[in-house]
């Protein structure tokens, strides 16, 4: 038994009806009736899910990738890995499309895999995304070694690969090996959202008219014989004729003509009585919580500028930053060569790209960092993806903003001048 299956078995409990109650099998969460399977494609038809996946995957895909010397904090623009990370991961995809696809797989399937093709020197030359279903994790009996069984996209052959040859980004993982998708954890909430969407569609297709009953004081008698020789009760004949004439979007609002003393009485609750709109808002909030996306990004909740600005910062810190941290560790360990890692090189992403829309906050932060001598003009230009300027590497401090290398001397001269000494 694999490590993941063993841990899953230890963590599994049984509901009263005997159904498994776990993240891997959510049957136990649905005691009434049989739940419908909600595939990733079906879940993406729910507007809140689609918006959350788009927002998070676009945020991850748009971040500029660079290689940094961990000791000097200097960016290496001419590193050979650059042609893969910020040029073309593969011949069919730009970096934005590749990393957005990987994040979509991670969110919707729990795991995102990419095969690392290397040249004879061990340097990555291409990153090929794999469908999550085409890659399987196995633990080798006896040694406990982790292997990936992956189907090669070009030939279809299955290979046994070392973890160093597979980029693997995980969603929440109970065992640290296999990720569990948001869809599995939010299954009950998404089922409710899908049912509400189906109800709303059926409601409008039937002209917004509630279901009801046809009443009559006349005895309809026993069964009647139809043209095909079958026998049915008159109630069934009346029901079929009524639904044929009045059901469906094309028959909405048609005038009903009733005979045999029949009357129509609606019995279902209206949208207002059921507080349908309010229930939809609660479902959207639940979905937003599972994806850790602020409500205002889904068109719900408060819309004040000040609160939304803070929510966006929290979204970057609490939702995007953990995803990026995992990707940076994975990329550094598997895309850089051993000699690169010994030199202290790291694969990093510029999170400032997500705050470009907040001009005032960036201006205040840059100004404070420059006045404190932390950033130079060229440091700020690099964060804005702009070219360096001549003399832009000098840093200034608060002594009338003089270069730091002259700060001690000028400070002594000023002190001497103020005490009446020689200039």
């Amino acid at each position: 038994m694999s490590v993941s299956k063993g841990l899953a078995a230890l963590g599994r409990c049984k509901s009263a009806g005997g159904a498994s109650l776990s993240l891997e099998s959510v049957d136990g969460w649905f005691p009434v009736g049989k739940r419908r399977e909600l595939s990733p494609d079906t879940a993406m038809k729910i507007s809140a899910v689609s918006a959350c996946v788009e927002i998070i995957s676009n945020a991850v895909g748009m971040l500029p990738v660079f290689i940094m010397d961990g000791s000097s904090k200097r960016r290496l623009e001419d590193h050979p890995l650059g042609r893969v990370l910020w040029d073309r991961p593969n011949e069919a995809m730009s970096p934005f499309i590749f990393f957005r696809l990987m994040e979509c797989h991670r969110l919707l399937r729990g795991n995102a895999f990419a095969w690392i093709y290397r040249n004879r020197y061990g340097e990555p030359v291409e990153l090929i995304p794999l469908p999550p279903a085409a890659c399987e994790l196995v633990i080798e009996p006896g040694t406990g070694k982790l292997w990936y069984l992956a189907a090669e996209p070009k030939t279809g052959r299955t290979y046994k690969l070392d973890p160093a040859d597979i980029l693997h980004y995980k969603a929440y993982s109970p065992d640290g090996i296999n990720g569990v998708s948001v869809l599995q954890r939010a299954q009950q909430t998404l089922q409710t959202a899908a049912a509400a969407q189906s109800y709303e569609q059926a409601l409008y297709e039937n002209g917004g008219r509630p279901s009801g009953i046809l009443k009559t004081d006349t005895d309809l008698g026993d069964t009647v014989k139809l043209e095909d020789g079958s026998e049915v009760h008159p109630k069934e004949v009346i029901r079929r004729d009524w639904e044929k004439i009045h059901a469906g979007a094309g028959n909405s609002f048609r005038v009903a003509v009733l005979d045999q003393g029949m009357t129509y009485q609606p019995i279902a609750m209206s949208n207002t009585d059921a507080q349908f709109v309010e229930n939809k808002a609660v479902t959207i909030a639940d979905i937003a919580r599972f994806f850790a996306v602020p409500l205002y990004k889904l068109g719900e909740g408060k819309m004040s500028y000040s609160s939304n600005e803070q929510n966006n910062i929290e979204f970057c810190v609490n939702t995007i930053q953990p995803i990026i941290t995992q990707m940076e560790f994975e990329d550094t360990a598997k895309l850089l060569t051993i000699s690169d890692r010994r030199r202290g090189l790291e694969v990093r992403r510029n999170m400032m790209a997500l705050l470009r829309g907040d001009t005032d906050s960036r201006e205040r932060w840059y100004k404070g960092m420059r006045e404190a001598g932390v950033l130079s003009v060229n440091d700020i230009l690099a964060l804005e993806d702009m070219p360096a300027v001549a003399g832009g590497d000098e840093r200034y401090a608060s002594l009338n903003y003089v270069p730091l290398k002259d700060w001690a001397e000028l400070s002594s001269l000023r002190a001497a001048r103020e005490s009446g000494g020689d200039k």
Side-chain angles (χ1 to χ4, degrees):
M1 178 182 292
S2 66
V3 173
S4 59
K5 291 182 179 179
L7 292 175
L10 289 174
R12 187 174 294 119
C13 62
K14 298 291 184 178
S15 65
S20 177
L21 187 64
S22 68
L23 288 174
E24 289 78 11
S25 177
V26 296
D27 292 330
W29 297 95
F30 299 89
V32 180
K34 183 178 180 181
R35 68 182 181 90
R36 294 184 304 161
E37 291 296 329
L38 194 67
S39 67
D41 292 337
T42 303
M44 284 295 286
K45 295 178 182 178
I46 301 173
S47 61
V49 175
S50 178
C52 288
V53 173
E54 286 277 355
I55 290 167
I56 297 176
S57 62
N58 285 339
V60 171
M62 68 184 287
L63 296 181
V65 187
F66 61 93
I67 297 173
M68 184 184 73
D69 187 329
S71 57
S72 66
K73 306 301 180 183
R74 183 173 61 90
R75 296 189 182 190
L76 305 182
E77 305 291 345
D78 56 349
H79 193 278
L81 189 58
R83 62 177 178 265
V84 175
L85 290 180
W86 55 79
D87 186 8
R88 301 292 289 186
N90 55 70
E91 62 181 0
M93 299 179 184
S94 66
F96 173 80
I97 295 297
F98 173 80
F99 288 113
R100 184 177 68 172
L101 174 64
M102 296 295 284
E103 181 58 17
C104 287
H105 282 177
R106 192 190 72 86
L107 289 172
L108 295 174
R109 270 103 177 161
N111 299 279
F113 303 103
W115 193 324
I116 306 172
Y117 286 9
R118 304 180 186 273
N119 59 19
R120 59 179 179 172
Y121 304 108
E123 300 171 338
V125 294
E126 201 171 17
L127 302 177
I128 304 298
L130 299 173
C135 193
E136 181 183 359
L137 285 75
V138 296
I139 304 294
E140 188 174 64
T143 65
K145 166 72 175 174
L146 175 66
W147 295 95
Y148 288 82
L149 298 181
E152 210 278 337
K154 298 179 180 178
T155 63
R157 293 179 54 190
T158 300
Y159 290 85
K160 182 180 178 181
L161 300 176
D162 189 271
D165 293 321
I166 293 286
L167 283 179
H168 184 189
Y169 305 134
K170 308 177 185 71
Y172 165 79
S173 175
D175 57 11
I177 297 176
N178 263 313
V180 178
S181 72
V182 179
L183 301 189
Q184 286 180 275
R185 293 182 282 137
Q187 188 73 245
Q188 190 170 16
T189 297
L190 298 181
Q191 291 288 352
T192 302
Q197 190 163 286
S198 297
Y199 168 76
E200 185 177 19
Q201 178 183 358
L203 184 73
Y204 286 111
E205 284 182 349
N206 289 280
R209 299 302 178 95
S211 301
I213 59 175
L214 294 172
K215 298 194 304 182
T216 180
D217 295 330
T218 304
D219 185 5
L220 298 178
D222 296 327
T223 59
V224 296
K225 194 169 186 178
L226 301 180
E227 295 179 356
D228 59 2
S230 60
E231 293 185 353
V232 295
H233 196 277
K235 293 180 181 179
E236 184 64 27
V237 176
I238 294 173
R239 182 184 294 109
R240 290 179 184 176
D241 290 342
W242 177 270
E243 292 178 348
K244 180 179 179 181
I245 296 175
H246 297 285
N251 296 322
S252 301
F253 307 107
R254 293 190 66 182
V255 177
V257 180
L258 304 178
D259 56 7
Q260 298 183 9
M262 288 187 178
T263 59
Y264 176 77
Q265 178 182 342
I267 59 174
M269 291 187 297
S270 65
N271 275 354
T272 302
D273 293 334
Q275 295 183 327
F276 183 69
V277 176
E278 288 81 357
N279 288 340
K280 284 189 65 176
V282 171
T283 301
I284 292 174
D286 285 339
I287 293 174
R289 275 190 286 269
F290 273 108
F291 282 95
V293 171
L295 267 178
Y296 84 91
K297 288 183 176 290
L298 304 181
E300 295 286 339
K302 297 172 63 177
M303 291 293 177
S304 66
Y305 177 81
S306 58
S307 62
N308 290 346
E309 179 184 5
Q310 184 61 37
N311 287 336
N312 187 57
I313 295 174
E314 292 180 0
F315 171 71
C316 294
V317 174
N318 298 329
T319 303
I320 302 301
Q321 185 66 63
I323 299 171
I324 295 306
T325 300
Q326 178 193 176
M327 298 178 76
E328 289 176 343
F329 276 118
E330 185 78 356
D331 295 345
T332 298
K334 296 182 179 180
L335 296 180
L336 292 174
T337 61
I338 296 177
S339 60
D340 283 338
R341 296 198 299 274
R342 287 175 177 172
R343 289 168 52 195
L345 301 189
E346 303 172 4
V347 178
R348 303 292 293 272
R349 285 166 174 77
N350 182 11
M351 287 288 295
M352 291 300 295
L354 292 178
L355 300 175
R356 284 180 177 172
D358 187 4
T359 307
D360 292 338
S361 296
R362 290 205 329 279
E363 179 185 355
R364 290 194 299 270
W365 187 75
Y366 286 150
K367 183 179 179 181
M369 291 296 100
R370 190 185 178 209
E371 291 179 353
V374 177
L375 296 178
S376 67
V377 171
N378 282 346
D379 291 333
I380 297 174
L381 290 172
L383 291 174
E384 291 291 309
D385 292 329
M386 298 173 66
V389 297
D393 291 325
E394 292 284 0
R395 300 191 182 189
Y396 297 89
S398 59
L399 185 62
N400 292 331
Y401 303 107
V402 298
L404 287 177
K405 58 185 177 61
D406 302 325
W407 189 89
E409 179 183 357
L410 292 175
S411 179
S412 299
L413 290 174
R414 172 175 286 188
R417 183 182 62 185
E418 292 177 350
S419 62
D422 295 333
K423 294 185 180 179

